Amino acid sequence: MQMIELKTVKARMESDWSDKVHTYNIDSLCVNLTNDSSLLLWRAGATRIPADQSTPTSYENFTQEALAAGESARQKSINLRSTLNKMYIESIKDLRHQATCVDVALAENVKLTQDCLQQLEKELLCCLNELASTEKLIEELRDSTKGLNNAMKLAQTRLDNRLNRPNVESCRDAVQFALIEEAKSLGEQTSAMLAELKRTEESQANLVKARGTLEHEIMVKRKTLYIDKERGQVLRSFFPSTTDLSGF
């Protein structure tokens, strides 16, 4: 709108200036005419007064209005440039302030991600150690179960062999009752051992699942850290300075 106003006033003043130059040339010619000039001719009707002819007052008013319109448009343009310059400076300050806030927030996020990554890695190490201990315990329980099975086989074999004693020799003596108690005790120990083995295997499965979750979270955090630190912060280090934003 300011450009349109300036162009309109410019066109008006150029037209007025052109008319005044033309008028000046005519009046200069008239001043230089004498009774002996070769350009003197009969001009019928030269003494008439055209209806659209201006008066000195209207002439002066028209000229003053044109000058006032030009000065007004010029002042508006100056004021607009001053206002735009202030707005531009404030915008640059806001951009730099926002960029600083983003850099601080990004640095804090990178630090938090690094701390979280370290905690996850420590947790993963503990999980791996616990998993190794659990696997070792499972092997020990299986070996113990195998030993109990062999002991049960021994007790059952002894009892079965003693059932083959002939006639009165097949006696319910203390040895037989001791073998029966031994077989019962071994059966209870085996059941308890198998239950413990099952619980340990379930714990192992949970640890394996937890390890997978931790490894996935570590991978995600490392990817996030790479994007924020190796790419985000590096790219933001090329953020235009105040001088660049000002166009210099």
Side-chain angles (χ1 to χ4, degrees):
M1 291 175 63
Q2 184 62 40
M3 288 294 296
I4 292 173
E5 183 178 355
L6 286 171
K7 289 179 180 179
T8 301
V9 173
K10 177 175 176 289
R12 177 180 176 181
M13 297 189 73
E14 285 177 345
S15 176
D16 192 23
W17 174 81
S18 178
D19 291 343
K20 283 178 168 51
V21 169
H22 188 59
T23 300
Y24 174 81
N25 292 333
I26 292 175
D27 287 347
S28 297
L29 177 63
C30 290
V31 167
N32 294 320
L33 289 175
T34 65
N35 291 337
D36 299 327
S37 296
S38 60
L39 298 177
L40 300 180
L41 295 172
W42 294 101
R43 301 288 184 177
T47 57
R48 75 185 186 280
I49 297 178
D52 58 347
Q53 200 171 31
S54 65
T55 64
T57 302
S58 63
Y59 171 85
E60 183 177 359
N61 289 337
F62 179 84
T63 304
Q64 291 297 331
E65 286 177 0
L67 291 173
E71 181 63 19
S72 176
R74 192 176 71 85
Q75 287 298 328
K76 286 182 180 179
S77 182
I78 292 173
N79 294 336
L80 178 62
R81 287 200 304 275
S82 177
T83 302
L84 289 176
N85 189 48
K86 291 179 181 178
M87 293 174 60
Y88 191 53
I89 292 174
E90 291 299 322
S91 298
I92 293 174
K93 289 181 180 178
D94 291 341
L95 284 173
R96 287 304 310 170
H97 176 70
Q98 181 64 27
T100 301
C101 291
V102 172
D103 290 339
V104 171
L106 186 59
E108 290 179 354
N109 190 67
V110 167
K111 185 177 183 304
L112 288 174
T113 304
Q114 287 177 333
D115 293 342
C116 185
L117 180 60
Q118 291 177 358
Q119 290 297 116
L120 287 172
E121 289 175 344
K122 289 180 181 179
E123 189 67 24
L124 178 60
L125 182 60
C126 293
C127 181
L128 292 175
N129 291 333
E130 187 65 25
L131 186 59
S133 299
T134 303
E135 290 175 349
K136 183 178 179 181
L137 179 59
I138 289 174
E139 291 298 324
E140 291 175 354
L141 289 172
R142 286 175 179 171
D143 291 340
S144 297
T145 303
K146 187 183 296 184
L148 290 175
N149 289 335
N150 291 335
M152 176 65 80
K153 290 178 183 179
L154 175 61
Q156 290 179 357
T157 301
R158 285 173 173 173
L159 283 169
D160 185 69
N161 288 336
R162 286 175 62 84
L163 290 175
N164 294 325
R165 289 180 299 174
N167 302 319
V168 74
E169 294 301 325
S170 180
C171 179
R172 298 173 187 166
D173 55 8
V175 176
Q176 185 170 355
F177 285 113
L179 287 172
I180 292 173
E181 286 298 324
E182 182 182 358
K184 181 179 178 181
S185 176
L186 288 171
E188 292 175 353
Q189 292 180 25
T190 302
S191 297
M193 197 71 69
L194 290 175
E196 182 65 23
L197 178 61
K198 183 179 180 181
R199 286 193 296 269
T200 306
E201 289 176 343
E202 290 176 352
S203 177
Q204 180 191 31
N206 292 331
L207 286 171
V208 170
K209 184 178 179 181
R211 182 189 65 183
T213 302
L214 287 170
E215 289 175 346
H216 175 74
E217 288 298 323
I218 289 173
M219 180 185 67
V220 171
K221 288 293 183 292
R222 285 177 178 172
K223 183 67 174 180
T224 301
L225 191 61
Y226 169 76
I227 293 173
D228 288 346
K229 185 176 182 180
E230 303 299 329
R231 300 194 63 181
Q233 287 187 323
V234 172
L235 288 175
R236 290 197 62 79
S237 65
F238 295 98
F239 191 87
S241 63
T242 303
T243 304
D244 293 333
L245 290 173
S246 300
F248 299 105

